[in-house]
Amino acid sequence: MTDISKYRFNHSMLRVKDPQASIKYYEFLGMKQINQMDFPDNKFSLYFLAYDDKNSASTGAHWTDRQGILELTHNHGSENDPNFKVANGNSDPGKGFGHLCVAVDNIQAACTRLEEAGYKFQKKLSDGRMRHIAFALDPDNYWVEIIGQNDSEKTKDVKETDTGSYRFNHTMIRVKDAEESLKFYQETMGMTLIRTNENPDNKFNLYFLGYPEGSPATQAHREGLLELTWNYGTEKDPNFKYHDGNAEPQGFGHIAVSVDDIDKACARFEEKGVSWKKRLTDGRMKEVAFVLDPDGYWIEIIQNQRLKKSNL
């Protein structure tokens, strides 16, 4: 049997134009590069970043035994192509993925620090009615939501921010049918529904799911959450479809779940009747599989190497 309680929402993958610019940005947000994989024959590289400070949630852990990792995929040469541009997921025809979210200690100080460094915002704290969240833009114009771990009223006069306390809190994707997606992520993927935000006036709901993670003080202190955004009525439109990020225009690639025993986990997924993008036995890469969620988003399945060793 596979133990679902050992599963981790390990990472989210984004394609980037210039890895050095992207790494610099996310390092400015406090992340550290914890792994790199180069595939020169196939002309691409993968960079894995996470919070790895002394106060971080998974400091020093093997990269497969973590939640809250960002994988940046770079196709060699894109940085020199003036016409190369990724789809950030927030406009058609590439609408689907929405944003990453970083939870910070003192949101006003954190946003000021970003702005003073010359980074752009989709929404500043002072914009609109929602004065407790902001959306920064990374070098590829992916949206990075900034939320506070502490009450924004209590941090408005604080001038310092400690990036070592930051968390890669969640990844947001839009879903066509909330009921179908919630059933899939809970019953098939084994996640738990942690919080629901209903917004009937604006005709959308937000659902936050995740795997068990110690005893965080609040949801904003967590890592490895998945936010599903459902706009009312999309489930009734037979022609409605979100973009999975892997057809053109490309941008977001996948989310990934690390499991205790990949063979047994994939056997369970098979029993659950999942749709596969890639089974373990397909192709040359026998150590990863890709499941498709109800909207066609890719979910990579990888082995948690720490748990594999303990099972020997």
Side-chain angles (χ1 to χ4, degrees):
M1 291 287 291
T2 179
D3 185 351
I4 296 171
S5 71
K6 300 290 199 315
Y7 289 14
R8 302 281 184 269
F9 178 5
N10 180 252
H11 69 257
S12 299
M13 186 277 263
L14 301 177
R15 297 174 177 89
V16 298
K17 177 185 176 85
D18 183 343
Q20 298 312 311
S22 296
I23 290 170
K24 180 181 178 182
Y25 177 84
Y26 287 103
E27 286 182 340
F28 188 79
L29 275 174
M31 291 186 175
K32 296 179 181 178
Q33 185 177 325
I34 60 169
N35 194 29
Q36 181 173 336
M37 299 180 185
D38 296 306
F39 301 87
D41 292 343
N42 298 307
K43 298 182 179 179
F44 73 92
S45 295
L46 310 177
Y47 303 87
F48 296 83
L49 296 99
Y51 287 102
D52 201 44
D53 192 85
K54 62 181 180 179
N55 296 319
S56 299
S58 304
T59 307
H62 190 275
W63 75 272
T64 61
D65 190 35
R66 291 172 175 258
Q67 304 203 108
I69 294 177
L70 175 61
E71 175 188 348
L72 304 179
T73 294
H74 171 232
N75 293 297
H76 298 171
S78 60
E79 70 277 18
N80 298 317
D81 181 355
N83 297 316
F84 183 89
K85 185 180 180 182
V86 300
N88 72 3
N90 290 298
S91 60
D92 289 320
K95 197 169 186 178
F97 164 78
H99 61 259
L100 309 177
C101 175
V102 172
V104 302
D105 53 354
N106 306 314
I107 191 167
Q108 293 89 348
C111 289
T112 297
R113 178 175 173 269
L114 274 168
E115 192 169 357
E116 289 179 347
Y119 290 117
K120 297 178 181 178
F121 282 77
Q122 177 67 26
K123 177 202 174 298
K124 295 181 180 180
L125 277 178
S126 56
D127 295 340
R129 289 178 299 174
M130 299 178 71
R131 300 299 176 94
H132 61 287
I133 62 171
F135 283 89
L137 295 173
D138 87 348
D140 287 285
N141 286 321
Y142 289 116
W143 294 14
V144 181
E145 184 180 14
I146 309 295
I147 64 172
Q149 296 168 359
N150 303 302
D151 186 337
S152 60
E153 281 299 310
K154 296 179 179 179
T155 62
K156 62 184 179 181
D157 296 321
V158 179
K159 304 301 181 185
E160 302 297 323
T161 182
D162 175 14
T163 59
S165 68
Y166 291 11
R167 298 285 187 268
F168 178 5
N169 183 252
H170 69 257
T171 297
M172 186 277 265
I173 55 175
R174 298 173 178 91
V175 299
K176 174 177 179 172
D177 187 325
E179 185 176 339
E180 186 178 6
S181 293
L182 286 169
K183 181 178 180 181
F184 172 83
Y185 280 104
Q186 291 177 96
E187 296 183 8
T188 302
M189 299 309 301
M191 291 184 175
T192 298
L193 179 62
I194 295 167
R195 183 164 64 92
T196 299
N197 286 358
E198 296 184 351
N199 298 274
D201 291 344
N202 296 307
K203 298 183 179 179
F204 72 89
N205 289 356
L206 310 176
Y207 305 92
F208 294 86
L209 302 102
Y211 294 111
E213 185 190 56
S215 302
T218 66
Q219 183 179 316
H221 288 82
R222 288 191 58 141
E223 292 196 310
L225 295 178
L226 178 66
E227 176 186 352
L228 304 181
T229 294
W230 170 56
N231 292 293
Y232 297 0
T234 53
E235 75 283 6
K236 299 174 183 177
D237 183 349
N239 298 314
F240 188 89
K241 190 178 190 323
Y242 281 119
H243 185 67
D244 66 11
N246 291 300
E248 294 295 342
Q250 292 186 324
F252 166 79
H254 61 261
I255 62 172
V257 172
S258 68
V259 298
D260 59 334
D261 186 309
I262 195 166
D263 293 302
K264 293 177 181 177
C266 285
R268 177 182 169 276
F269 290 138
E270 188 75 46
E271 291 172 1
K272 291 285 188 181
V274 302
S275 298
W276 295 95
K277 180 64 182 180
K278 178 198 175 299
R279 288 181 166 86
L280 274 179
T281 53
D282 295 341
R284 291 180 295 176
M285 298 178 68
K286 306 297 185 183
E287 68 279 4
V288 298
F290 282 88
V291 170
L292 296 175
D293 89 343
D295 286 279
Y297 293 115
W298 297 15
I299 305 172
E300 184 179 15
I301 310 299
I302 62 174
Q303 174 66 51
N304 183 320
Q305 294 299 323
R306 181 184 67 84
L307 297 179
K308 181 180 181 181
K309 291 175 183 175
S310 68
N311 291 336
L312 293 176

